Amino acid sequence: MLADAFRHRLRFDNVVCNTSDSIWVFYNGLFHLVLVGEGEQHASFLVSHNSFPVPLTISIVHVACMKEERRALWSALRRTSLYMDRGLWVGILMLWW
């Protein structure tokens, strides 16, 4: 797996990828990530750490250029959010041209 080779090279403890392999998240052992939603253009994680009072929900987005594909992304994010408790959401947006 290419992401795992980069994980070793970058000296991270862990890497998590969405199923389309378009999003890679590298992190060290102090964090605990649980994939709670994903699509071709996004991956959403519940992130826990000893210093956090509550877990955070983090969505990482790789936005497509076409308007129809972006609509599919926002629909998928809305579906993911329906299963989340209230709390802090953090979004990371990546645009590739």
Side-chain angles (χ1 to χ4, degrees):
M1 167 184 203
L2 186 58
D4 202 45
F6 274 92
R7 179 187 67 80
H8 283 289
R9 186 172 208 168
L10 297 172
R11 298 183 183 187
F12 281 94
D13 295 334
N14 303 289
V15 63
V16 184
C17 308
N18 65 339
T19 54
S20 64
D21 208 31
S22 62
I23 297 173
W24 299 351
V25 178
F26 299 94
Y27 65 99
N28 286 319
L30 300 175
F31 293 90
H32 179 69
L33 274 69
V34 176
L35 185 65
V36 294
E38 69 166 325
E40 191 171 316
Q41 300 178 70
H42 88 285
S44 296
F45 300 92
L46 196 60
V47 180
S48 301
H49 187 275
N50 289 341
S51 66
F52 296 168
V54 296
L56 301 175
T57 301
I58 297 178
S59 293
I60 300 168
V61 177
H62 174 199
V63 179
C65 295
M66 303 300 292
K67 187 176 187 177
E68 297 79 25
E69 292 172 316
R70 289 193 307 267
R71 284 187 179 143
L73 166 64
W74 302 130
S75 294
L77 287 171
R78 273 193 293 278
R79 282 192 305 275
T80 299
S81 71
L82 293 174
Y83 300 103
M84 299 292 124
D85 290 332
R86 288 179 291 155
L88 180 62
W89 276 77
V90 178
I92 300 170
L93 177 66
M94 299 183 301
L95 297 171
W96 300 99
W97 301 100

